[in-house]
Amino acid sequence: MDSGNVTYIIGQSLSVLAVVVGFIAFQMKTPKTMLIFQIATSLIFSAHYFLIGAMTAMTLNLVSAVKYVCYYIRDKREKKGLFIPIFFTILVIITSVLTWDRWICIFIMTGLVINSISFALTNAQLIRKLNLIKAPLCLIYNVAVFSTGGIFYESFTLISSIIGIIVNRKNSKSKGNDYGEI
């Protein structure tokens, strides 16, 4: 077995770990704990995409990890605002253009723009609902680059978000329809 095959197998194996961590993320009750798991998921996926040669996704996942750290710090300080979501939305677009290697990158770029906006919110239910848009876009990209873990992750993200919406619907209704702030 040559080193290219070993690298690819290790990359695909890392994606399985990322899937597990990512699935746990959307079962968390608060945006802060969701963010901690999303940081780990993004870093693991970044390594995975690097090893399978999907450089746009690798770079965007590194940007996502930094974004989640910024949101976590922002939420801890209880300072809200539009700077972080706008900055990371623009950064995702610029990074996508700079690492563009084929037309399919438009799907992961759009999905991660939605993701940048969703994690700026303080309402976990709304974050889950926006994932119902983001996940199919990223799923299309992952099928195109044949990221086994990416395919499972986005599928599980859809399922997990739906489960989270259903399970937490009772809490949302009892607290009113607060969709959170940016």
Side-chain angles (χ1 to χ4, degrees), residues 23-31 33-34 123-129 159-179:
F23 182 76
I24 293 169
F26 291 104
Q27 300 313 307
M28 299 294 108
K29 291 189 184 280
T30 67
T33 52
M34 290 170 83
N123 182 283
Q125 280 294 77
L126 187 54
I127 293 168
R128 291 180 189 101
K129 289 175 183 176
I159 293 166
S160 183
S161 294
I162 291 167
I163 290 169
I165 288 167
I166 293 167
V167 167
N168 292 294
R169 176 171 265 157
K170 202 180 277 186
N171 292 340
S172 178
K173 285 185 178 180
S174 68
K175 293 180 183 177
N177 282 333
D178 174 30
Y179 288 101

Side-chain angles (χ1 to χ4, degrees), residues 31-165:
K32 285 182 182 181
T33 52
M34 290 170 83
L35 285 169
I36 291 168
F37 281 90
Q38 284 301 116
I39 292 165
T41 302
S42 292
L43 291 172
I44 297 165
F45 262 122
S46 188
H48 154 71
Y49 286 120
F50 175 76
L51 293 172
I52 69 165
M55 294 304 141
T56 298
M58 184 270 304
T59 307
L60 289 176
N61 273 275
L62 285 176
V63 168
S64 290
V66 173
K67 170 187 66 187
Y68 295 138
V69 169
C70 289
Y71 284 153
Y72 184 83
I73 292 168
R74 179 203 74 172
D75 290 350
K76 206 170 183 175
R77 292 181 178 174
E78 297 184 15
K79 291 186 178 184
K80 308 297 182 213
L82 294 175
F83 176 76
I84 292 174
I86 291 170
F87 175 78
F88 280 103
T89 298
I90 292 167
L91 188 58
V92 164
I93 293 167
I94 291 169
T95 302
S96 296
V97 170
L98 292 175
T99 60
W100 196 273
D101 62 349
R102 54 187 146 168
W103 68 270
I104 199 73
C105 293
I106 191 79
F107 288 97
I108 195 160
M109 179 187 75
T110 305
L112 293 180
V113 162
I114 291 168
N115 185 258
S116 291
I117 294 165
S118 73
F119 272 93
L121 304 173
T122 58
N123 182 283
Q125 280 294 77
L126 187 54
I127 293 168
R128 291 180 189 101
K129 289 175 183 176
L130 286 172
N131 268 304
L132 298 178
I133 300 167
K134 172 251 176 201
L137 293 168
C138 292
L139 180 60
I140 292 167
Y141 176 85
N142 283 301
V143 168
V145 299
F146 196 67
S147 167
T148 306
I151 292 166
F152 284 117
Y153 177 76
E154 296 305 339
S155 299
F156 286 142
T157 296
L158 280 169
I159 293 166
S160 183
S161 294
I162 291 167
I163 290 169
I165 288 167

